[in-house]
């Protein structure tokens, strides 16, 4: 660090309790002038709580905060602003119809302008949009930001919105910046630009705290790393004296294997065919524009793109949750030489298929059921003596979500509200699993034994932190709710499994459990479609990657042969690439 080591913040014995949960216990943490401090920890480790206390969102129950050696009281975000502390949250707090300059002024009273921005000078000549625009241009020149102060927020990229949030804090004379997952939705090029800006702010004497899960970025950008575990601050280490392995071991308290054991696809066959698909979003705008690709059995197909480029709408259309405006989605159902069952087919449908010559018996003789009684046909099916001649080709367009699920196409989408996509908070794990299976019961009384066994398997394999399988889902942490959501869909043995942001918000240990679980599904012959935000993971996990830009495919690439930088370019610039 170029600046002299001056301690600007000191947390002493900070404790914060929510009900029976001890979020922070006797936390001691220092921050120096002109340094970049990364804060690491698993879900529920207390790292975010500690930063929320420093930024005034929470007040500590015990302990003290010192700034420049003097005790301070921070009871609100406004108190933090007065003290020069600004926090940029992962979810931006901007007004879409306002310009950048107008957003900078939002929430700033004349009193705050005098006391915080103008540092006691009562001259209000700069308290207008035009002067703010000039200030933004000055900050852009000083730190390397790229932002048009007169641009409306709804026309901005994610990177520009983040830049605006940082500028808002700097305009309020923040000397301490807390950035929550700042690179979560940025391209590699945007991330590198942000890091250059952060380094420039460090040279100017700013102190920056970065909350992140991306260990490679921690090593690249930070000076020191603070590690939290189970509410305690475990250690703060110099970045140049540690390794990713050491950091992960300190985070979880044990040695971890953080590798994705990717295998080569074996016996890959076309399973899901998407042809010239057009889909609109809720505003009526086409966000999936003439998209075509094939997902194969026994492979993981990644989908990369800047957030909001049609990924969500694409998967929802395949699952039947959103109307397909044009194009086709076709499932190639693996049926050749496999027995027909009454799980997906009614007796009437089996008789219709038999009349069309769809079946043969175990000796290879054709079966058409001509002259046979219903009881005879039922017995043959139950004894697995009715075999398909070939795979089924099933158009999914026009089918409802339940019909598509019954065909074995399953979507696990992890939204910000994890209880909003198929899990019921006031039901326990067993009942939530039963939501996917009760229709297949044969009696008026539901069989709870199979759902119970499945729930216990999910708890065991994904290490879900819960007292037992009969605990209400609403009592679990967000990360554990996510494990239940993903685990339930995978456990039902789909033919096509679509995982959208399955590790969003999970700690590194839980994330790798999910990655290797997806790899396991691939080895079992399932066609896996993975939508993620971390390009390093997409490259390490997937076999092929579909890259989206403005709702169109800009490339379908071999994940073993493409670089992160190449994908980043395709995410921001349409160019047809096949590797």
């Amino acid at each position: 660090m170029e600046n002299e080591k001056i301690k600007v913040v000191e947390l002493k014995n900070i404790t914060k309790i929510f009900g029976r949960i001890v979020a922070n216990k006797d936390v001691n943490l220092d921050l120096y002038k002109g340094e970049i401090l990364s804060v690491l920890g698993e879900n529920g480790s207390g790292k975010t709580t500690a930063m929320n206390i420093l930024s005034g969102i929470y007040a500590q129950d015990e302990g003290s905060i010192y700034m420049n050696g003097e005790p301070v009281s921070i009871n609100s975000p406004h108190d933090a602003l007065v003290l020069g502390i600004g926090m940029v949250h992962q979810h931006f707090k901007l007004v879409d119809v306002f310009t950048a300059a107008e957003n900078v002024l939002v929430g700033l009273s004349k009193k705050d302008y005098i006391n915080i921005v103008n540092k006691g000078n009562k001259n209000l000549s700069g308290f207008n949009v035009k002067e703010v625009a000039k200030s933004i241009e000055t900050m852009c020149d000083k730190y390397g930001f790229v932002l048009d102060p007169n641009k409306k927020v709804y026309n901005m990229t994610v990177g520009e919105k983040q830049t605006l949030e940082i500028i808002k804090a700097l305009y309020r004379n923040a000397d301490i910046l807390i950035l929550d997952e700042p690179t979560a939705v940025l391209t590699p090029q945007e991330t590198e630009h942000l890091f250059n800006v952060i380094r420039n702010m460090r040279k100017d004497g700013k102190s920056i705290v970065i909350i992140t899960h991306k260990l490679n970025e921690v090593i690249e950008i930070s000076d020191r790393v603070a590690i939290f575990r189970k509410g305690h601050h475990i250690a703060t280490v110099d970045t140049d004296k540690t390794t990713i392995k050491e950091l992960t071991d300190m985070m979880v308290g044990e040695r971890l294997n953080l590798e994705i054991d990717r295998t080569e696809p074996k016996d890959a066959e076309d399973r899901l065919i998407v042809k010239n698909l057009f889909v609109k979003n809720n505003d009526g705008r086409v966000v999936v524009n003439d998209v075509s690709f094939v997902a194969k059995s026994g492979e993981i197909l990644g989908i990369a793109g800047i957030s909001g480029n049609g990924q969500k709408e694409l998967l929802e259309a395949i699952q039947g949750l959103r109307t397909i405006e044009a194009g086709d989605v076709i499932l190639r159902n693996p049926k050749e030489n496999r027995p027909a069952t009454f799980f997906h087919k009614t007796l009437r449908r089996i008789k219709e298929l038999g009349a069309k010559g769809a079946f043969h018996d175990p000796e290879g003789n054709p079966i058409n059921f001509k002259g046979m009684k219903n009881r005879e046909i039922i017995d043959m099916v139950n004894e697995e003596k009715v075999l398909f001649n070939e795979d089924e080709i099933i158009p999914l367009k026009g089918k409802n979500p339940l019909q598509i699920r019954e065909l074995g196409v399953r979507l696990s989408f992890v939204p910000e509200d994890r209880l909003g996509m198929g899990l019921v908070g006031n039901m326990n794990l067993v009942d939530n699993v039963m939501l996917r299976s009760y229709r297949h019961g044969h009696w008026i009384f539901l069989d709870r034994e199979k759902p119970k066994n499945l729930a216990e398997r999910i708890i065991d394999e994904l290490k879900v932190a819960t007292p037992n399988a009969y605990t209400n889902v609403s009592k679990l942490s967000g990360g554990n709710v996510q494990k239940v959501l993903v685990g339930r869909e995978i456990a039902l043995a789909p033919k096509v499994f679509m995982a959208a942001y399955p590790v969003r918000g999970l700690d590194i240990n839980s994330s790798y459990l999910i990655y290797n679980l997806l790899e396991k599904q691939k080895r079992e012959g399932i066609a896996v479609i993975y939508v993620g935000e971390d390009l390093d993971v997409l490259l390490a996990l997937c076999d092929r990657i579909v890259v989206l830009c403005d709702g169109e495919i800009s490339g379908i690439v071999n994940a073993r042969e493409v670089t992160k930088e190449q994908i980043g370019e395709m995410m921001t610039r349409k160019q047809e690439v096949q590797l």
Side-chain angles (χ1 to χ4, degrees):
M1 286 179 287
E2 295 180 9
N3 293 279
E4 181 185 351
K5 289 194 71 172
I6 301 172
K7 191 180 294 184
V8 291
V9 173
E10 187 176 7
L11 304 183
K12 284 190 176 182
N13 304 315
I14 296 294
T15 295
K16 182 64 181 177
I17 300 173
F18 298 98
R20 296 182 179 180
I21 299 173
V22 180
N24 285 143
K25 180 64 175 177
D26 292 329
V27 168
N28 292 281
L29 183 67
D30 301 330
L31 178 66
Y32 292 93
K33 180 179 175 66
E35 81 160 344
I36 301 170
L37 175 69
S38 288
V39 180
L40 285 177
E42 292 189 285
N43 288 76
S45 64
K47 63 185 185 300
T48 303
T49 299
M51 293 303 101
N52 282 337
I53 288 171
L54 181 58
S55 62
I57 295 173
Y58 299 143
Q60 71 270 25
D61 296 321
E62 298 176 15
S64 305
I65 301 175
Y66 290 81
M67 292 191 66
N68 299 310
E70 298 293 329
V72 295
S73 178
I74 305 177
N75 296 311
S76 69
H78 186 270
D79 290 346
L81 273 177
V82 171
L83 292 167
I85 301 171
M87 185 167 183
V88 176
H89 298 273
Q90 191 172 353
H91 305 294
F92 307 134
K93 304 178 186 301
L94 301 170
V95 182
D96 276 358
V97 296
F98 284 6
T99 65
E102 289 167 341
N103 267 280
V104 168
L105 283 176
V106 168
L108 193 63
S109 66
K110 290 182 179 180
K111 183 179 179 181
D112 286 340
Y113 178 79
I114 292 170
N115 294 331
I116 299 176
V117 178
N118 237 14
K119 296 188 175 181
N121 187 340
K122 295 184 179 181
N123 181 6
L124 289 171
S125 61
F127 192 53
N128 61 71
V129 173
K130 189 175 181 180
E131 292 300 323
V132 170
K134 290 181 181 179
S135 297
I136 291 175
E137 291 172 349
T138 300
M139 276 187 272
C140 288
D141 292 339
K142 182 176 183 179
Y143 296 116
F145 294 116
V146 177
L147 185 67
D148 178 358
N150 299 310
K151 192 174 187 178
K152 300 279 190 181
V153 169
Y154 60 73
N155 285 326
M156 291 183 183
T157 65
V158 174
E160 287 174 323
K161 291 177 183 178
Q162 184 178 69
T163 294
L164 176 54
E165 286 282 19
I166 295 173
I167 286 176
K168 278 175 62 179
L170 293 176
Y171 183 78
R172 288 156 173 77
N173 281 315
D175 290 318
I176 297 165
L177 276 172
I178 304 169
L179 307 180
D180 185 11
E181 298 287 353
T183 66
V185 291
L186 299 184
T187 65
Q189 289 79 6
E190 288 173 324
T191 296
E192 183 57 36
H193 181 260
L194 174 64
F195 284 177
N196 288 332
V197 168
I198 290 174
R199 292 184 185 106
N200 289 336
M201 290 193 290
R202 176 178 59 186
K203 290 177 183 177
D204 193 43
K206 306 290 185 186
S207 302
I208 300 101
V209 179
I210 299 177
I211 306 170
T212 183
H213 287 102
K214 298 183 179 180
L215 292 172
N216 57 327
E217 293 180 359
V218 168
I219 298 296
E220 179 181 351
I221 190 63
S222 65
D223 299 303
R224 294 189 304 145
V225 188
I227 301 96
F228 280 70
R229 187 173 73 234
K230 296 181 179 179
H232 294 268
H233 170 227
I234 300 302
T236 299
V237 297
D238 292 335
T239 307
D240 59 2
K241 295 178 182 177
T242 190
T243 64
I244 289 177
K245 182 65 177 172
E246 288 175 351
L247 292 175
T248 53
D249 291 347
M250 282 189 283
M251 281 169 57
V252 299
E254 60 185 3
R255 290 194 171 274
L256 292 177
N257 179 24
L258 298 181
E259 292 184 3
I260 299 172
D261 187 14
R262 178 175 59 186
T263 56
E264 290 286 343
K266 186 178 180 182
D267 300 326
E269 297 179 350
D270 293 358
R271 185 67 67 234
L272 188 77
I273 301 128
V274 175
K275 291 183 177 180
N276 308 114
L277 202 66
F278 289 81
V279 182
K280 293 180 179 179
N281 65 7
N282 294 336
D283 298 325
R285 182 170 61 89
V286 174
V287 291
V288 177
N289 190 357
D290 198 17
V291 166
S292 301
F293 63 84
V294 175
K296 298 177 181 290
S297 62
E299 78 159 6
I300 299 179
L301 178 69
I303 297 181
I306 297 172
S307 179
N309 269 252
Q311 301 96 313
K312 177 174 177 283
E313 290 81 2
L314 171 61
L315 267 58
E316 287 179 346
I318 294 172
Q319 188 65 51
L321 295 168
R322 188 174 291 274
T323 301
I324 294 174
E325 302 297 328
D328 293 295
V329 179
I330 298 167
L331 175 68
R332 181 169 179 149
N333 203 10
K335 289 292 185 180
E336 186 176 354
N337 294 323
R338 297 186 184 186
T341 70
F342 290 119
F343 188 80
H344 291 134
K345 301 284 187 293
T346 63
L347 175 60
R348 179 179 176 181
R349 180 59 179 157
I350 284 179
K351 290 169 71 174
E352 289 174 352
L353 290 172
K356 294 177 181 178
F359 301 120
H360 64 270
D361 66 17
E363 284 72 44
N365 302 310
I367 302 175
N368 59 18
F369 306 124
K370 190 173 181 179
M372 294 180 64
K373 295 180 180 179
N374 287 347
R375 185 72 259 173
E376 293 177 297
I377 299 173
I378 291 171
D379 289 342
M380 283 191 72
V381 171
N382 288 336
E383 292 170 8
E384 298 187 350
K385 293 181 178 179
V386 179
L387 309 178
F388 281 93
N389 290 332
E390 57 187 23
D391 291 346
E392 286 184 294
I393 305 299
I394 306 173
L396 300 186
K397 183 179 177 180
K399 295 188 183 296
N400 64 44
L402 179 59
Q403 291 171 324
I404 293 172
R405 284 184 57 80
E406 293 299 304
L407 289 168
V409 179
R410 300 186 182 274
L411 167 63
S412 178
F413 178 75
V414 181
E416 291 165 16
D417 177 12
R418 296 176 177 95
L419 296 180
M421 288 290 289
L423 292 180
V424 181
N426 61 0
M427 291 172 64
N428 60 45
L429 274 70
V430 174
D431 288 344
N432 268 286
V433 169
M434 193 181 296
L435 287 174
R436 292 301 192 218
S437 60
Y438 75 91
R439 291 184 180 87
H440 302 303
H442 300 289
W443 309 100
I444 60 172
F445 298 106
L446 296 175
D447 176 15
R448 290 181 175 269
E449 191 61 29
K450 289 181 180 178
K452 175 178 176 291
N453 294 337
L454 186 54
E456 289 177 344
R457 198 174 104 207
I458 292 170
I459 292 169
D460 181 58
E461 290 185 3
L462 295 184
K463 297 180 172 57
V464 178
T466 177
N468 54 58
Y470 291 99
T471 300
N472 281 3
V473 168
S474 61
K475 295 183 179 179
L476 304 182
S477 70
N480 285 301
V481 169
Q482 195 162 320
K483 292 180 188 178
V484 175
L485 182 64
V486 174
R488 182 186 64 180
E489 303 305 322
I490 290 177
L492 294 173
K495 299 178 182 70
V496 178
F497 180 64
M498 301 183 292
Y501 313 108
V503 301
R504 177 185 280 167
L506 289 184
D507 55 67
I508 190 167
N509 191 22
S510 301
S511 296
Y512 275 81
L513 281 173
I514 298 292
Y515 299 148
N516 286 301
L517 191 59
L518 294 178
E519 170 64 28
K520 181 181 177 183
Q521 306 313 300
K522 162 188 161 180
R523 294 178 192 176
E524 293 177 359
I526 293 171
V528 179
I529 299 176
Y530 173 84
V531 180
E533 296 164 327
D534 191 325
L535 292 186
D536 290 309
V537 170
L538 279 161
L539 288 170
L541 176 67
C542 301
D543 300 293
R544 293 182 299 133
I545 300 174
V546 175
V547 186
L548 295 177
C549 177
D550 291 335
E552 299 179 17
I553 291 182
S554 58
I556 300 178
V557 297
N558 186 327
R560 293 169 175 80
E561 299 174 0
V562 71
T563 66
K564 184 166 67 171
E565 289 70 26
Q566 286 174 318
I567 292 180
E569 289 178 4
M570 285 186 276
M571 287 166 60
T572 55
R573 187 173 67 247
K574 296 188 185 75
Q575 54 176 35
E576 286 296 330
V577 178
Q578 300 284 335
L579 294 177

